[in-house]
Amino acid sequence: MTLAQQGDRRPVRWLSWFVSDDPPGRIPLNIFMLAILLVLAFAPFLFPGTKALGVSARICIFVILVASYDLMLGYTGIVSFAHTMFFGIGAYGVAIMLAKGWVGWGAVVLGATAGAAVAAVIAALIGMLSLRLRAIFFSMITLAIASFAQIVAEQWRNLTGGEDGLTFSVPAILRPSFHLFAKPVLGITVNGPVITYYIAFAVALILFLIMLRVVNSPLGLVLRAIRENEFRVEAMGYQVVAYRTLVCVLSAVMAALAGALMALVLRYNGPDVTLSFSLMIDILLMVVIGGMGSLYGAVIGSIVVVLAEYYLQNVLASISAAIVGMPVMSALFHPDRWLLWLGIIFVLIVTFLPQGIFGRLRSRR
Amino acid sequence: MTGDVPALSTRDLTIRFGGQIAVNAVTCAFHRGTLTAIVGPNGAGKTTYFNLISGQLTPTYGSISLFGKDITRMGAPHRTRLGLGRAFQLINLYPSLTVFENVRLAVQSVAQIRFDFLSIAARDSQVRQQTQHWLDRVKLGPRANLIAAALSHGDQRKLEVAILLALEPQVLMFDEPTAGMSLDEIPTILDLIEEIKQETHKTVLLVEHRMDVVTRLADRIIVLQDGMLIADGAPAEVVALPVVQQAYLGVQQNAAAHGEALQ
Ligand SMILES: Nc1ncnc2c1ncn2[C@@H]1O[C@H](COP(=O)(O)OP(=O)(O)OP(=O)(O)O)[C@@H](O)[C@H]1O
Ligand SMILES: [Mg+2]
């Protein structure tokens, strides 16, 4: 605050506007989060290779997906299991448009818009359900609706390609064969997938900042109040159902846009990649590991879980290679046990850091 | 806006919980500029009467009107917007929001900032000043940035009152606002209620057990017992009634005498 006392607050105030006056925390934590932002911004150059690019893109997309889920779970206290459904709807929107032979940006934009619109309508209907249902029944109904969506995607083969999914061509500049520059930049060929990554990164950053604005807006305060004491919110003149519905819609639209990005990145979409229940579990893991009720937690959670999913096997492989002589131990560290280790990490975090990794970092004095 | 239409009135207001009639055919009108105390033993139905008026419960029978408008079937949020405000008997706050945010929600509601999701709430200086004003009025200004759960019981009660004031209601209902407060904190609340009473257009309903407080503040006292309105009048008259003496001094009377007092 010494800066403020000197009357030289303008640049700080302006920067702060971007994060809606809600920076991650104190200066070291702000620097840490800024470093993450920079690493993601230069990921294609820092970590060359197709796999690393895929992992980085997945992190960006999951930041949107997890942050939007946290709007409901952590901020408003709504437990929904239908979030992957909205992700899938967005992905199918783009996939169906492109797979049906219309290759171009028009198809991408139309597909993403249509996906977001369908997601919004379904979310509005689900949100209104919360008018009459107790929380637990609401959650169960979202689970049923999500399973139904999965069945529809698997059975409606003409449209969705069934269990095989849809493979399609993306616009020319997003294809691997497209090179933006004749020569490599910093040793990296800026090809279609790199451009796709930057689209995902930019969209994720913008949507994240929008969500950060929402939670720090007057409406965001009402959402947190609903989580705390919805009865009192009503007595203050706010119609709780309207807010629940609104947050469901907003969250669903964000998830659908994340899905659209996923389709562009993978150039494929099927029920396993965007609709499966294990994806829903991943989202829950990320929210809890990162920290519920703080959007920055979504960033940490996405990074930790996605990296674990992709690299834990490699880490285990090198550990078990190093201790190959010890019979029980090497079996325990066998790469196939990665899910077990992920589970252990999860249990440890929930036990020792109930407010999640980011929540813990933020509350440090 | 003549003085003839009561600010608030209930007609034959009744609610039944299973076999029990918690509020039984209560007909009563409350006029602008008056402070009415509602007294009665524990379980008499005072809080339930408030719940019916503010819309937390739906009556089995009877009707409620606010400034001549029937609000019997109206939801709680709408009643609040029409000027009905309520402080709760049991602490009813947002425990992990800050004291400031607790009141800011009420200020936002009055300013009709309902669905603004793209501006930074903390930068609205008008809302901020107004929120600070209400906090200062209940002497919670210095505690603004604590979370509500960290407040002492007495301060939580003050916060409850600050929220009520911030909603700027025309009709204010206080349900035992001083319950559980330490003796030195009680005057803050009572002085506030007295100040509100000076604003002549406000209508105040006050449930309070302490007879000294009631007789000092109230223009009128109504007595509820077993859900029924059994007495209604000026403080001095009502306090002298045998039925009130019985309820408050524990004087044992037989049922027949009780019945006579009712009439
Ligand atoms: N939601 C409810 N369901 C069932 N019974 C209820 C409910 N609310 C209140 N009651 C019953 O109605 C009666 C009146 O309760 P109420 O809380 O209105 O009394 P009160 O006059 O406010 O008492 P106190 O002075 O203790 O606050 C009690 O017997 C109570 O048990
Ligand atoms: Mg009561």
Side-chain angles (χ1 to χ4, degrees), chain B residues 46-47 89 175-176:
Chain B
K46 306 181 295 292
T47 299
Q89 177 175 8
D175 199 348
E176 302 190 30

Side-chain angles (χ1 to χ4, degrees), chain B residues 17 20 22 41-48 89 176 209:
Chain B
F17 295 121
Q20 183 195 11
N42 289 334
K46 306 181 295 292
T47 299
T48 307
Q89 177 175 8
E176 302 190 30
H209 277 298

Side-chain angles (χ1 to χ4, degrees), chain A residues 44 46 49 72 75 102 127 153 163 199 206 210 235 237 267 289 320 363:
Chain A
L46 296 172
M72 287 198 292
Y75 283 89
W102 182 15
E163 289 181 36
I199 291 173
I206 292 168
I210 290 176
R267 284 171 274 141
I289 287 177
S320 76
S363 67

Side-chain angles (χ1 to χ4, degrees), chain A residues 21 228-229 231 236 238 243, chain B residues 92 96 105 109 114 123:
Chain A
D21 288 352
E228 298 276 306
N229 188 346
F231 166 82
M236 277 190 173
Y238 298 102
Y243 290 87
Chain B
N92 199 346
S96 67
L105 276 160
S109 177
R114 296 194 197 288
R123 289 196 181 186

